[in-house]
Each structure stands twice: as C-alpha cells, then as structure tokens.
C-alpha cells in the first residue's frame, strides 16, 4: 500500500525577501490594515509599506464582498434589477434607483411625468443630506473622537429615513423608482412632513458646522493632509465631492441638467487646498445647497400622475441598442451602461460606481503621510463596499 507523502502547504510568498527602503538601508515594515478593520467602511484591506511611520507604498485590496450584481442582472428582467440597485450604496438607495431608471429610460426613450421628476429631485437631495451628514460623522469618528458627532448626524438621518419609510414602505431598501416615473405618489401630508423636516435642517447644519469646523484637533489632523491635486483627480476619473474639493467645477446636475435640475438655482462649492479638510467642508456646503434645491422643488411641485401612461412594466422588451445613464450621486458619478438585444433581460449590464473609481487615487493621497493619517484619508474618500465589489 502506497504511503501518502506528508507535505505541509505554505502560503504564497512565505519566504519572500524583506522589502528594502528606497535608499537601500534597512527594511520597510509591511502592515496589512484589514480586512476587518473597524474604520474601513466594510470588508476592505490596505497593504501598507512603512518607513518608520511614513507611508512609502499602499495597495488597496478589495473583492472580499463579491456580490455578482452585474451577472445576476443579465439573467433577470429589467425591472427585477431595481431592488438590487438599492443594495449598491445602501446609504443612498433612492439615487441608485434613479440612475438605473434613467439608463433604461434613455434606452427606450421613455418619458417621465413632471411630478415624478420633482419627486425624484426631492428624494435625491434628501439622500444627499443623509449621505453627507453620515460621512462627516464617520470621518470624525475615524479621527478618534467619540461617537457624538456621528450620533448627532444620525439624529437628523432618522427623520429623513422616516420620510422614506412613509413614502416607499422601507427605510433603506426603498425600491421606489420605475421606468417612466415612481411607484406611488406622495400625499400632501407627506410633502408637509418634508417641509417640516427641512425647516429644522439649517439649524442642524449651523450647529454641526460650529461644533466641528474650527476644532483645533480636526484642523491639525486634516489641513495639508491627503492632498489630491486637480490634474490627478481629472486624469483618474474622480468625481463628486472629492473632485470638487480639488477645485474642479464639475457637477453632473449642472452639466447634464437631468431630472429638471436646470430649473433650480444652486451653487457648486469648490475647494482651494485639495486636502481632507476641504473634502469635509465641501460636504457641509453641499448639504446647504441641497436645502435650497428642496425649498424650490417643494414650492413648485405640480399635480398630475407619477407614472407615464405608456410605460410598460410587464412584457418589457426594449429594442436592440445601448445606453448610458448617469447622475450626480452623493459620492460622485453613478452610471449604468445597458445593451439590449431585444430580449426581456439586458444583454449587458454594467455599473460605473463612484466609490471604486475614487479609490484608485488612495495611494497617491497617502504617500508621505503618517500611518495614523491613512484611515482618516481613506474616510475622506467616502466609499461603500456594496458598489466597489458589485
């Protein structure tokens, strides 16, 4: 009887030589931050090479949360993918719905009633407020502060999630948008509830800003840290608050004017120093602009249907063709690329997630900074792993 050879499997790279410093003197310390680090917004890892405490190299490692979203969508009908979009950025389900609905509407030439467009703008800006307030709270917590700023942000978030639940039936997984409009109409009582919540938001923003903006620790930890130069931001395809914090005036709400945004007056705040502090401030300022957009939309929202009478939800088979629909999601450009072969399912379904694209410049922002700043710089990117590992 043959005896099996006793072999012990060794992990790949177990005997690799030490990484040397750039000057050839001594070794670098290699640290794996994650994949279960409490401050990495999900299952994410950073492989960092350090010279003392200074970052020499950084490699983002993701893929632990592979969700197969795109492949699943190619095996089910178009409408069946709408609930899956909720789970891309689970902080911003309604803007995910909107981007996907917009892509299908471009593919089919589907019209959207005016009232539905107004509702989409209202829900999109409420989502932006939820995202930015939460991301600022998480950023301060990653700086080492207690949970007070985060809980203060979550207090306002709860009020908005209550509005989402009353309208859609769910606080987070809303599944509300449809091709050609919205699933249900908003009642006058719901619109009044939005006005009531909106009336208290400027005071929240004032208190939140006064609590944080001039804090000595925050300024010391964020100013001049994690610089993202404008030319690199543009070349890397960075979008959203990160791009505008680097001084680039680019907002898809202004560029494309989708969802009737060309009817609303609002500014596009820009950063001047391109650092973590600017990314923090841009989100505060964008929240204030959202207040103004909401006031205009609530004032002008018309009556009428919220679904186009010609919209098809069953037996939906777009003509062969392709389309790309994009919006200014809270984290940046969220786009869906669809190819139809005339069947009930997309032939190709592709997502352009802002979190993944914005992550590509993480190493550039971290090089030369201390290891204590890495999690802080990462937090200023504001990602969610649901759309990175889509």
């Amino acid at each position: 009887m043959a005896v099996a050879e006793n072999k012990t499997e060794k992990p790949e790279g177990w005997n690799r030589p030490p990484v040397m410093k750039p000057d050839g003197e001594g070794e670098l310390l290699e640290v794996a931050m994650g994949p279960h680090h409490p401050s990495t917004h999900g299952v994410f890892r950073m492989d960092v090479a350090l010279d003392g405490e200074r970052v020499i190299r950084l490699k983002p490692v993701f893929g632990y949360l592979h969700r197969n979203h795109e492949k699943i969508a190619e095996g089910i009908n178009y409408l069946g993918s709408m609930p899956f979009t909720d789970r891309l950025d689970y902080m911003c389900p309604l803007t995910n719905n909107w981007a996907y609905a917009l892509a299908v509407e471009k593919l089919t030439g589907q019209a959207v009633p005016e009232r539905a467009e107004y509702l989409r703008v209202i829900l999109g800006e409420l989502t932006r407020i939820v995202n930015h307030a939460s991301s600022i709270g998480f950023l301060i917590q990653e700086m080492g502060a207690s949970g007070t700023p985060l809980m203060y942000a979550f207090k306002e978030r709860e009020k908005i999630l209550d509005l989402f639940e009353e309208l859609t039936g769910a606080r987070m997984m809303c599944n509300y948008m449809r091709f050609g409009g919205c699933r249900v109409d908003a009642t006058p009582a719901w619109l009044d509830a939005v006005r009531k919540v909106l009336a208290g938001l400027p005071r929240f923003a004032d208190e939140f800003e006064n609590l944080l903006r001039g804090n000595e620790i925050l300024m010391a930890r964020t100013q001049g840290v994690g610089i993202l130069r404008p030319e690199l931001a543009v070349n890397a395809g960075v979008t959203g608050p990160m791009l505008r914090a680097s001084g680039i005036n680019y907002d898809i709400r202004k560029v494309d004017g989708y969802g009737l945004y060309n009817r609303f007056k609002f500014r596009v705040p820009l950063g001047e120093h391109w650092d973590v502090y600017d990314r923090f401030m841009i989100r505060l300022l964008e929240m204030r602009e959202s207040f103004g957009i909401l006031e205009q939309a609530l004032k002008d929202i018309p009556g009428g249907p919220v679904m186009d009478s010609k919209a098809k939800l069953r037996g939906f088979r777009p003509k062969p063709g392709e389309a790309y629909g994009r919006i200014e999601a809270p984290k940046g450009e969220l786009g869906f690329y669809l190819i139809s072969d005339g069947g009930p399912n997309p032939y190709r379904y592709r997502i352009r997630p802002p979190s993944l694209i914005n992550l590509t410049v993480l190493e550039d922002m971290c090089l030369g900074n201390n290891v204590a700043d890495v999690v802080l710089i990462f937090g200023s990117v504001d990602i969610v792993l649901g759309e990175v590992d889509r």
Side-chain angles (χ1 to χ4, degrees):
M1 183 175 64
V3 179
E5 186 176 357
N6 185 15
K7 288 187 177 181
T8 302
E9 294 291 336
K10 295 183 174 61
E12 182 180 354
W14 69 276
N15 61 344
R16 63 185 178 187
V19 179
M20 304 302 293
K21 293 182 181 180
D23 57 10
E25 297 183 7
E27 301 175 7
L28 294 177
L29 175 65
E30 293 183 279
V31 179
M33 301 178 69
H36 301 297
H37 194 283
S39 296
T40 54
H41 301 249
V43 191
F44 175 78
R45 191 176 95 213
M46 292 179 283
D47 288 343
V48 187
L50 303 172
D51 181 1
E53 294 190 4
R54 188 165 58 93
V55 177
I56 300 298
R57 280 198 305 277
L58 185 146
K59 178 185 178 183
V61 182
F62 32 82
Y64 296 98
L65 191 68
H66 182 51
R67 300 173 59 245
N68 211 27
H69 181 140
E70 295 175 339
K71 193 61 180 177
I72 290 173
E74 292 167 8
I76 58 178
N77 62 37
Y78 285 84
L79 184 58
S81 290
M82 186 63 77
F84 282 100
T85 65
D86 287 333
R87 291 148 174 85
L88 275 172
D89 180 353
Y90 30 80
M91 297 293 286
C92 307
L94 286 161
T95 47
N96 302 340
N97 288 179
W98 193 358
Y100 178 51
L102 185 65
V104 176
E105 288 157 3
K106 291 184 70 174
L107 182 66
T108 61
Q110 175 68 61
V112 180
E114 189 176 30
R115 182 174 176 84
E117 292 283 25
Y118 271 86
L119 283 174
R120 289 180 176 186
V121 169
I122 291 169
L123 293 168
E125 294 309 312
L126 287 172
T127 299
R128 199 176 312 278
I129 295 167
V130 165
N131 181 86
H132 286 358
S134 301
S135 68
I136 291 170
F138 282 121
L139 178 66
I140 305 306
Q141 183 169 270
E142 286 160 1
M143 201 176 299
S146 66
T148 302
L150 179 60
M151 292 298 103
Y152 193 68
F154 268 37
K155 178 170 68 75
E156 299 304 313
R157 176 178 179 259
E158 287 300 306
K159 298 175 184 177
I160 296 177
L161 293 189
D162 286 345
L163 294 173
F164 291 168
E165 183 178 18
E166 184 178 347
L167 178 64
T168 72
R171 288 163 54 82
M172 294 181 69
M173 306 308 162
C174 301
N175 185 23
Y176 178 69
M177 308 291 180
R178 291 294 182 266
F179 316 135
C182 301
R183 179 161 50 86
V184 294
D185 196 2
T187 64
W190 186 83
L191 293 173
D192 288 339
V194 175
R195 293 184 183 99
K196 184 177 179 180
V197 170
L198 178 60
L201 286 174
R203 178 181 176 182
F204 156 73
D206 291 341
E207 293 176 348
F208 207 38
E209 184 173 343
N210 291 336
L211 174 69
L212 300 173
R213 183 183 64 178
N215 182 280
E216 293 182 5
I217 297 175
L218 185 145
M219 295 171 69
R221 292 293 308 278
T222 60
Q223 291 184 342
V225 174
I227 290 175
L228 175 60
R229 298 191 175 279
E231 57 273 15
L232 175 59
V234 172
N235 291 338
V238 171
T239 54
M242 276 191 67
L243 179 66
R244 294 186 285 276
S246 292
I248 303 299
N249 188 353
Y250 187 83
D251 188 313
I252 298 173
R253 294 174 295 176
K254 291 281 191 181
V255 174
D256 288 359
Y258 69 93
L260 306 182
Y261 270 112
N262 52 10
R263 298 188 183 184
F264 305 114
K265 295 181 180 179
F266 63 97
R267 298 181 307 114
V268 179
L270 302 176
E272 297 179 350
H273 306 287
W274 321 329
D275 54 13
V276 172
Y277 187 84
D278 273 7
R279 293 192 278 278
F280 152 75
M281 280 301 303
I282 288 297
R283 292 184 174 100
L284 269 176
L285 294 172
E286 288 192 0
M287 285 171 54
R288 295 188 182 277
E289 296 303 315
S290 292
F291 302 160
I293 295 173
L294 284 168
E295 288 176 357
Q296 297 171 67
L298 289 166
K299 178 183 176 182
D300 298 336
I301 184 171
V306 295
M307 276 295 294
D308 182 62
S309 59
K310 298 179 181 179
K312 287 185 177 181
L313 298 181
R314 295 183 179 180
F316 186 73
R317 291 173 176 265
K319 293 179 181 179
E322 60 183 306
Y324 177 70
R326 64 176 188 168
I327 68 166
E328 184 65 43
K331 293 176 173 63
E333 179 181 334
L334 173 62
F336 286 80
Y337 173 64
L338 301 171
I339 298 179
S340 170
D341 60 0
N345 309 338
Y347 173 78
R348 186 70 176 96
Y349 177 106
R350 175 74 173 173
I351 306 166
R352 191 272 185 207
S355 292
L356 175 64
I357 307 301
N358 292 350
L359 262 183
T360 60
V361 293
L362 181 60
E363 181 183 43
D364 300 274
M365 293 190 293
C366 290
L367 291 178
N369 289 280
N370 290 334
V371 64
D373 297 324
V374 168
V375 171
L376 190 59
I377 295 169
F378 174 69
S380 74
V381 180
D382 184 20
I383 73 156
V384 63
L385 262 295
E387 65 178 20
V388 173
D389 293 337
R390 68 212 177 286

